[in-house]
Amino acid sequence: MRTFVALPLPDAIRDQVEQLQDGLRAGRAVAWDNLHLTLAFLDDQPVDRLEALHEALERLRPAPLELRLAGLEVYGAKKPSAVVLRAEGGAALTGLQANVMQAARMAGMDLPRRRFRPHVTIARFNAGSRGTEDAARIGAFLQARGDWATAPFEVDAYCLYASHLMRDGPWYEELGRYELASSHVA
Ligand code: 3AM
């Protein structure tokens, strides 16, 4: 099972991102349901390791997390592979990501050490896509919307997902949900 751990985005933020996506006339927009911020890509893992990770994540007590999406970026050096929104979440976000990675390794998962670049992918490009035309459209989009940003918003949970590749795109099945503390006093 291909799995990953990610922060789902509040509906109101996804609505804003969807409006932004409408202006990019290239690539495949990530579906509203699928908009997320990946904390750890776990790839294929056996069920026993996923269960061990699930138990560890249930024991984590992460700090409240406030995010802001600000600034567009293109991934892919020569050919675009994705257009993403950069995410800012300070020490709470980097701490949560490090703790999730550590929990996954403790559960026996052998994960590559890569720098964490928090982002939300808003569009993807096929390897065989027409590079130059897409590049021009992406360039214009970045120029027009490069200063796009959300207000800071709170996230109330993060999730373990299984990624199922369906005919019309991926379906992210929620396998586990882990609450984050709220910074608001009830
Ligand atoms: O947040 P994003 O969209 O960047 O790119 C995939 C997505 O992250 C990433 O896992 C998330 C859920 O699909 N992903 C998929 N295959 C990957 C791989 N082989 C991968 N990340 C790293 N290596």
Side-chain angles (χ1 to χ4, degrees), residues 95-142:
L96 174 61
Q97 195 268 346
N99 286 337
V100 168
M101 290 296 281
Q102 190 186 22
R105 292 198 175 102
M106 296 285 285
M109 301 178 187
D110 183 20
L111 302 180
R113 293 188 184 274
R114 285 159 70 168
R115 190 164 64 89
F116 177 45
R117 292 194 289 171
H119 66 271
V120 173
T121 301
I122 66 165
R124 295 183 199 284
F125 297 82
N126 293 332
S129 72
R130 301 193 46 190
T132 47
E133 197 172 301
D134 282 345
R137 288 182 174 179
I138 295 168
F141 179 68
L142 259 59

Side-chain angles (χ1 to χ4, degrees), residues 2 4 36 38 41 114 119 121 124 172:
R2 267 164 80 91
F4 63 103
H36 66 272
T38 301
F41 177 70
R114 285 159 70 168
H119 66 271
T121 301
R124 295 183 199 284
Y172 298 151

Side-chain angles (χ1 to χ4, degrees), residues 8 25 53 60 65 98 156 185:
R25 312 235 168 269
L53 174 62
L60 279 187
L65 182 55
D156 55 10
V185 180

Side-chain angles (χ1 to χ4, degrees), residues 39-179:
L39 295 170
F41 177 70
L42 309 175
D43 213 340
D44 261 325
Q45 296 292 342
V47 170
D48 59 335
R49 283 189 204 149
L50 290 170
E51 278 170 359
L53 174 62
H54 172 68
E55 281 170 23
L57 295 183
E58 285 194 314
R59 286 193 299 270
L60 279 187
R61 287 281 170 264
L65 182 55
E66 198 172 72
L67 288 182
R68 180 171 172 263
L69 306 181
L72 287 158
E73 206 175 315
V74 187
Y75 284 179
K78 292 213 173 93
K79 260 193 162 188
S81 62
V83 172
V84 309
L85 278 165
R86 278 192 291 268
E88 299 166 1
L93 178 60
T94 48
L96 174 61
Q97 195 268 346
N99 286 337
V100 168
M101 290 296 281
Q102 190 186 22
R105 292 198 175 102
M106 296 285 285
M109 301 178 187
D110 183 20
L111 302 180
R113 293 188 184 274
R114 285 159 70 168
R115 190 164 64 89
F116 177 45
R117 292 194 289 171
H119 66 271
V120 173
T121 301
I122 66 165
R124 295 183 199 284
F125 297 82
N126 293 332
S129 72
R130 301 193 46 190
T132 47
E133 197 172 301
D134 282 345
R137 288 182 174 179
I138 295 168
F141 179 68
L142 259 59
Q143 276 226 312
R145 309 310 306 270
D147 60 352
W148 192 93
T150 66
F153 58 92
E154 199 155 333
V155 181
D156 55 10
Y158 66 101
C159 299
L160 173 63
Y161 294 100
S163 174
H164 304 282
L165 294 177
M166 316 297 277
R167 195 188 291 249
D168 56 352
W171 164 49
Y172 298 151
E173 179 189 9
E174 190 181 299
L175 302 178
R177 184 180 170 87
Y178 316 97
E179 301 298 322

